[in-house]
Amino acid sequence: MKPSTKIVENGIQALEAVKELHNVGYTMEDIYVLAHHEDVTHKVAVMANVNEIGVKEEGVLHSLANLVRSRGDEMRSKLQAIGYSETEAGHLEEELDKGHILVISVSK
């Protein structure tokens, strides 16, 4: 199933979006956050008790490749790893470039 994304402007809105998803039945394991800056992604994920897109989702080879990729390439790779097409990942990466945060829900 294709992931669903809510694009928010800041960490407070991201926490609210996570709470809304939790209230409609998503578990914290089904929710990811992604921001352009890794430290923002990590802080929001910790505060909301949700996931960052990592080795589990991408696989070891893609995660290692991200060490030498640009941040934009890395973010697109992460988005594709959880089910977005290349085109969708490119559009979402543009939103990240604007400073937005993605709150992503997936069904397992």
Side-chain angles (χ1 to χ4, degrees):
M1 182 173 218
K2 182 178 170 181
S4 177
T5 305
K6 182 160 186 168
I7 300 168
V8 299
E9 294 188 19
N10 56 52
I12 301 295
Q13 289 179 356
L15 294 173
E16 291 170 359
V18 167
K19 184 176 180 181
E20 289 172 11
L21 289 169
H22 185 68
N23 287 340
V24 297
Y26 284 92
T27 65
M28 296 305 181
E29 293 80 28
D30 297 334
I31 304 170
Y32 296 85
V33 293
L34 184 62
H36 193 278
H37 298 286
E38 290 181 62
D39 61 324
V40 174
T41 297
H42 182 71
K43 287 177 185 175
V44 173
V46 168
M47 290 178 67
N49 193 30
V50 296
N51 300 297
E52 298 176 57
I53 303 167
V55 175
K56 178 181 170 189
E57 294 77 23
E58 289 186 279
V60 175
L61 292 178
H62 282 279
S63 292
L64 289 173
N66 283 341
L67 295 173
V68 297
R69 289 181 174 148
S70 71
R71 182 68 178 147
D73 289 344
E74 177 185 354
M75 290 185 295
R76 286 189 299 277
S77 173
K78 287 179 180 290
L79 290 164
Q80 288 175 325
I82 60 171
Y84 289 102
S85 71
E86 186 175 341
T87 302
E88 292 167 326
H91 170 72
L92 291 171
E93 193 254 331
E94 289 175 7
E95 293 297 327
L96 293 169
D97 286 345
K98 296 175 187 174
H100 295 137
I101 300 171
L102 305 181
V103 179
I104 303 164
S105 54
V106 296
S107 297
K108 297 188 180 197

